[in-house]
Amino acid sequence: RKSWKMTACEKGNVCPHCGKAVFEMGRSFKAPRKSDTEQWQKVQRLWEAGFRFYSYRRYPDEEPLPERLSEVESFISRNPHHPFKVSQR
């Protein structure tokens, strides 16, 4: 539950605190507070479903990513071809 900016060429890095792999979330990712477990669960569920956090500037008509954990499953099922979905997990 930590976040920091990295350049795109920094692949394969590990967290200096726990030694686990770090993941590129997207330039528009705003990390929740460390104590906000519900928001971190939302982020994890979206990540596992293949969604990343990019700018809507190029996609103003697309449905925005959900704000609450309770909205995630329906969002995922409604948006199988969302431009922020980069993989089929």
Side-chain angles (χ1 to χ4, degrees):
R1 294 186 193 160
K2 293 186 180 220
S3 173
W4 57 91
K5 302 286 184 190
M6 296 173 34
T7 63
C9 63
E10 294 181 77
K11 302 289 184 195
N13 282 343
V14 295
C15 174
H17 301 281
C18 70
K20 293 183 181 177
V22 296
F23 301 98
E24 182 180 350
M25 302 303 286
R27 289 188 61 125
S28 294
F29 179 69
K30 303 278 190 281
R33 291 184 182 269
K34 189 175 183 178
S35 61
D36 192 346
T37 56
E38 181 179 326
Q39 286 300 310
W40 278 106
Q41 288 174 353
K42 177 194 80 172
V43 167
Q44 182 176 351
R45 182 63 192 106
L46 287 168
W47 171 267
E48 289 170 349
F51 289 90
R52 302 300 178 262
F53 299 81
Y54 300 121
S55 171
Y56 278 91
R57 192 174 307 172
R58 291 181 50 196
Y59 307 101
D61 298 328
E62 292 296 331
E63 181 177 359
L65 295 173
E67 293 189 20
R68 310 280 312 161
L69 176 61
S70 62
E71 302 166 345
V72 169
E73 292 307 318
S74 61
F75 172 83
I76 291 170
S77 64
R78 282 192 314 274
N79 293 282
H81 304 291
H82 195 283
F84 296 173
K85 186 169 185 180
V86 296
S87 66
Q88 302 287 351
R89 288 187 173 202

